[in-house]
Amino acid sequence: QVQLVESGGGLVQAGDALRLSCAVSGRTFSLAAMGWFRQAPGKEREFVADIRWGDLSTYYADSVMGRFTISMDNAKNTVYLQMNSLKPEHTAVYYCASRDYWLTDFGSWGQGTQLTVSS
């Protein structure tokens, strides 16, 4: 069992930067990747970025490429999402998720953290 706790969301203005954090605890030895997803009001949850636990390779949704950066501090078992030049359309609940190495999908989820970007 893996526990994921997000933090760092809030209300910001367009153009601001913000960093989300995801504290990972529990059965971390089985993890292959960590990811960030988001769900905007009235929309389905969508992939934002992920990072491989071993080689720290990263993957991004086209919509956030060059604006968001995912990173991981293995010593702290914490995953970050640095978000720059935020826009109102980035408003969403952001979720941290983990994927075990024997699975193809992310199976454990945090409770989410709300990001609201005002214009």
Side-chain angles (χ1 to χ4, degrees), residues 27-33 98-105:
R27 188 172 43 80
T28 59
F29 64 86
S30 67
L31 296 180
S98 65
R99 179 171 66 80
D100 292 303
Y101 66 83
W102 62 84
L103 297 175
T104 57
D105 293 327

Side-chain angles (χ1 to χ4, degrees), residues 14-51:
D16 285 351
L18 194 69
R19 189 178 76 166
L20 303 181
S21 300
C22 173
V24 186
S25 61
R27 188 172 43 80
T28 59
F29 64 86
S30 67
L31 296 180
M34 300 296 301
W36 285 99
F37 293 73
R38 66 186 178 189
Q39 187 167 18
K43 296 186 177 181
E44 294 186 353
R45 186 167 57 192
E46 63 176 359
F47 169 79
V48 175
D50 71 23
I51 184 167

